[in-house]
């Protein structure tokens, strides 16, 4: 089964409006040389329109780092899926570890956001992954399975074409520590097996599973070369245009 690799750049709470636009133009340039790979960037909310403008005419897609699970109304500070679409957004992140473990989002909220985004016609990257103590306790597969089943609860098979899973071990995010290609492949294979038990092996074989956690220009190729790794979700290195360009190149088939 050939799956098109997908590389995401999660800018988190970084860049200015001007530096974000410059970064977006550089990403657009790199992506144009890698037709085999999908590329999506996740800028901060206030810059979405500026970045949408900078990406116009390129193949790079625009994503939101978060979405509200509510459609509209008295939810101060929240941003709805419809508002994001109105700004040119086509992808949303749900379940990122910083939102789970720093901000305190529960599996139930991650699921509500995932369903809201899919229902609104956005594509979703659902992030899952274990913390260091869970890894050391041998619970990696258990945690991934629990977050996967909870995150996708109620998601119909018909929506799966719009879902990507990002396996991001929490201990590897922003730390410079990366899962070995073999360990990452083991986790991805288990995730695909769980998807198979949820939706059947045909769907599982088609679904893309990205790796995230301190991916850089030097380690991307080997990670992305694993049979069940379909590209990556990149934080720190996505802010460095040349490095991100190399990562896009590493994912391209
Ligand atoms: C992320 O934020 O999803 C991420 C993987 O960050 P980093 O690449 O910096 O580890």
């Amino acid at each position: 089964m050939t799956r098109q690799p997908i590389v995401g750049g999660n800018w988190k709470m970084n860049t200015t409006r001007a530096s974000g636009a410059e970064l977006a133009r550089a990403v657009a340039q790199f992506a144009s040389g890698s037709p085999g790979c999908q590329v999506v960037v996740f800028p901060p909310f206030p810059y979405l329109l500026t970045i949408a403008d900078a990406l116009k005419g390129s193949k790079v897609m625009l994503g939101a780092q978060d979405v509200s699970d509510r459609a509209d109304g008295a939810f101060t500070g929240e941003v709805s899926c419809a508002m994001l679409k109105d700004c040119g957004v086509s992808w949303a992140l749900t379940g990122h570890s910083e939102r789970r473990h720093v901000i305190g989002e529960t599996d139930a909220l991650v699921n509500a956001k995932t369903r809201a985004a899919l229902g609104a016609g956005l594509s979703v990257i659902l992030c899952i992954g274990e913390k260091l103590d869970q890894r050391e306790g041998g619970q990696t597969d258990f945690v991934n399975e629990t977050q996967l089943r909870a995150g996708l609860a109620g998601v119909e098979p018909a929506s799966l074409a719009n879902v990507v899973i990002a396996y991001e071990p929490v201990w590897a995010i922003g730390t410079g520590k990366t899962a070995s290609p073999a360990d990452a492949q083991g986790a991805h294979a288990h995730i695909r097996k769980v998807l198979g038990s949820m939706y059947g092996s045909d769907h599982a074989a088609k679904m893309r599973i990205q790796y995230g956690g301190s991916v850089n220009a030097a380690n991307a190729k080997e990670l992305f070369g694993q049979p069940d790794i379909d590209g990556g979700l990149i934080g720190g290195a996505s802010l460095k245009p040349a490095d991100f360009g190399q990562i896009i190149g590493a994912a391209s088939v």
Side-chain angles (χ1 to χ4, degrees):
M1 165 66 57
T2 314
R3 294 176 294 266
Q4 185 180 32
I6 174 165
V7 170
N10 176 13
W11 297 359
K12 311 193 188 193
M13 202 165 68
N14 294 299
T15 71
T16 63
R17 194 152 60 92
S19 73
E22 201 179 321
L23 177 57
R25 283 191 287 269
V27 173
Q29 193 76 34
F30 285 119
S32 68
S34 295
C37 176
Q38 276 191 317
V39 181
V40 51
V41 292
F42 298 88
F45 280 157
Y47 305 151
L48 284 171
L49 285 175
T50 302
I51 304 306
D53 208 39
L55 293 175
K56 229 173 231 151
S58 86
K59 62 172 259 188
V60 180
M61 299 174 289
L62 189 63
Q65 296 177 20
D66 186 29
V67 293
S68 176
D69 61 321
R70 311 302 177 106
D72 53 41
F75 301 103
T76 302
E78 292 289 274
V79 180
S80 74
C81 297
M83 291 169 182
L84 293 167
K85 285 182 72 178
D86 203 14
C87 294
V89 165
S90 54
W91 284 83
L93 290 181
T94 60
H96 191 277
S97 77
E98 286 144 23
R99 297 208 64 86
R100 288 181 191 269
H101 302 302
V102 181
I103 291 159
E105 290 192 3
T106 61
D107 274 337
L109 183 55
V110 172
N111 175 245
K113 290 183 174 194
T114 301
R115 284 189 291 137
L118 290 171
L122 293 169
S123 294
V124 169
I125 296 180
L126 168 64
C127 307
I128 60 172
E130 83 285 0
K131 294 195 285 183
L132 185 59
D133 60 324
Q134 294 168 324
R135 181 180 195 81
E136 289 174 346
Q139 292 182 300
T140 297
D141 288 343
F142 172 77
V143 171
N144 283 336
E145 177 160 356
T146 304
Q147 292 183 353
L148 194 60
R149 287 188 185 277
L152 292 177
V155 172
E156 299 296 330
S159 297
L160 292 178
N162 298 325
V163 176
V164 169
I165 306 300
Y167 167 58
E168 301 205 294
V170 180
W171 51 269
I173 296 181
T175 59
K177 293 183 192 141
T178 315
S180 71
D183 279 357
Q185 165 56 29
H188 281 232
H190 183 75
I191 291 165
R192 201 174 299 286
K193 194 168 142 204
V194 175
L195 289 170
S197 80
M198 293 171 73
Y199 292 106
S201 53
D202 281 0
H203 282 299
K206 285 186 194 139
M207 285 186 72
R208 294 177 293 176
I209 309 173
Q210 296 176 305
Y211 171 79
S214 296
V215 175
N216 58 41
N219 61 24
K221 189 129 197 126
E222 200 182 349
L223 283 161
F224 299 167
Q226 303 303 308
D228 285 294
I229 299 185
D230 308 307
L233 183 56
I234 320 299
S238 74
L239 298 169
K240 302 177 194 155
D243 293 39
F244 194 57
Q246 279 184 262
I247 292 167
I248 293 169
S252 300
V253 282

